[in-house]
Amino acid sequence: MKKLIVLGTGHAVVKKCYNTCFALQEDNEYLLVDAGGGNEILNRLDKANIPLIHIHHMFVTHEHTDHILGVVWIIRMIASLMKMKKYEGKFHIYCHKDLVQIIQTICCLTLSRGLTCLFDDMIIFHGLENGDTKTILNCELTFFDIYSTKAKQFGFTFRNENNEKIVFLGDEPYNPKCYQYCQQADWLLHEAFCLYEKREIYKPYEKHHSTTKDASEVACQLNAKHLVLWHSEDDDLKHRKEMYTKEAKQYFNGEIFVPDDLEIIDLIKKG
């Protein structure tokens, strides 16, 4: 998968940007990773020029509202397209085993039977165990438990066509138990709730999140080459990229990305 399309960069209660979610692109197909907290995901996909008919795979990290509620809208829209014969093939949803029932229950409570009847036939749920590997868009993705202290949550790792290792750690700090999956990451996708200097304002540790400093130190420990920072506060979006990058550079010497919503990151570096 060559491109990372950032659909949202904010934490759970942001108002000026969307909740953190993204798509990975391979040719004209996409893997959607989380969907934010509502139907704004549909607007984000439109703005990113990602047609629903080209999304055949989605990974959901965990059950928190800012990650799962948008999933219901994706299922609703894709199921409707299937009913209208405008969607070819099956839609595959990957998540840890316990999350399958949660997603299906929410959908059964909020969507019509005419749509949920497609479950297990055209909409396929893949309940994952720690360490499971699946082939998605010509890549072997390995999913792993991030050992969340809140709701059970999975991340994943894979290698792109240049054999570069991409590691996505979900929305909580790196846990050393995940070392085998995260070491020597060429691309580390890590949450950064706020600047370290503003930790007393945003209280990231009380919420079990990281500061930019913490995430950068982790990237250094793991010998990462590129660091993507997101799942952040949105109080000063105009200067967030500049401020977070400046702090991260004090602790990490690799390339740093602090994306804005709808920014595209090329995972295959030229030259």
Side-chain angles (χ1 to χ4, degrees):
M1 288 179 272
K2 302 179 180 70
K3 292 182 184 291
L4 190 163
I5 302 168
V6 182
L7 300 171
T9 58
H11 61 53
V13 294
V14 291
K15 298 178 181 178
K16 301 166 188 171
C17 61
Y18 194 49
N19 312 122
T20 297
C21 54
F22 61 98
L24 290 165
Q25 180 181 5
E26 177 65 24
D27 297 326
N28 68 337
E29 281 289 320
Y30 302 86
L31 164 63
L32 180 61
V33 180
D34 286 335
N39 69 349
E40 174 63 20
I41 185 62
L42 304 177
N43 183 39
R44 296 288 155 155
L45 292 174
D46 279 351
K47 288 183 175 180
N49 296 313
I50 300 176
L52 285 165
I53 59 172
H54 291 305
I55 301 175
H56 287 88
H57 302 272
M58 176 169 62
F59 170 61
V60 187
T61 57
H62 64 298
E63 65 194 52
H64 287 166
T65 55
D66 55 317
H67 298 264
I68 198 174
L69 293 185
V71 171
V72 178
W73 286 94
I74 295 296
I75 291 173
R76 174 179 176 170
M77 299 304 294
I78 287 180
S80 297
L81 289 169
M82 288 175 171
K83 287 285 189 175
M84 294 185 289
K85 309 296 184 185
K86 294 181 179 180
Y87 184 97
E88 294 184 4
K90 298 184 178 183
F91 181 43
H92 298 269
I93 300 172
Y94 308 85
C95 57
H96 66 73
K97 228 166 135 183
D98 300 339
L99 192 51
V100 172
Q101 185 176 358
I102 294 172
I103 295 173
Q104 290 183 342
T105 298
I106 295 173
C107 288
C108 288
L109 290 171
T110 57
L111 302 180
S112 72
R113 173 63 185 160
L115 300 179
T116 59
C117 69
L118 296 174
F119 289 176
D120 303 323
D121 179 21
M122 298 300 294
I123 299 175
I124 312 300
F125 289 84
H126 302 264
L128 303 169
E129 300 278 7
N130 187 34
D132 278 356
T133 296
K134 299 287 184 181
T135 301
I136 302 173
L137 302 185
N138 301 316
C139 287
E140 296 290 316
L141 274 73
T142 298
F143 298 90
F144 58 91
D145 193 331
I146 70 164
Y147 298 100
S148 167
T149 60
K150 296 182 285 189
K152 186 174 182 180
Q153 181 173 173
F154 275 23
F156 62 76
T157 181
F158 70 95
R159 289 188 178 274
N160 63 21
E161 65 182 44
N162 284 358
N163 200 36
E164 292 178 315
K165 184 177 182 180
I166 290 87
V167 176
F168 168 55
L169 277 171
D171 76 347
E172 291 197 22
Y174 162 73
N175 189 311
K177 293 179 182 178
C178 303
Y179 179 75
Q180 63 173 310
Y181 301 110
C182 304
Q183 62 173 318
Q184 305 297 325
D186 292 285
W187 293 85
L188 182 66
L189 317 180
H190 199 294
E191 56 91 23
F193 200 80
C194 65
L195 295 171
Y196 182 73
E197 66 184 49
K198 295 188 177 182
R199 64 195 182 281
E200 294 303 322
I201 299 173
Y202 295 106
K203 311 292 184 184
Y205 304 133
E206 293 179 11
K207 303 175 180 71
H208 200 64
H209 287 304
S210 306
T211 66
T212 303
K213 172 181 180 288
D214 302 322
S216 302
E217 289 177 335
V218 164
C220 188
Q221 293 166 16
L222 294 173
N223 292 315
K225 295 179 181 176
H226 308 88
L227 175 62
V228 178
L229 299 172
W230 50 21
H231 201 265
S232 309
E233 49 80 22
D234 65 342
D235 286 343
D236 188 0
L237 286 181
K238 182 177 180 181
H239 300 104
R240 186 176 67 179
K241 186 188 293 284
E242 177 187 351
M243 294 188 299
Y244 280 46
T245 301
K246 181 179 179 181
E247 180 167 284
K249 283 183 176 179
Q250 298 177 52
Y251 308 97
F252 176 64
N253 293 323
E255 192 169 11
I256 298 163
F257 297 83
V258 182
D260 295 318
D261 288 17
L262 300 174
E263 196 166 327
I264 298 174
I265 299 174
D266 192 345
L267 297 176
I268 305 291
K269 305 299 288 185
K270 305 293 191 298

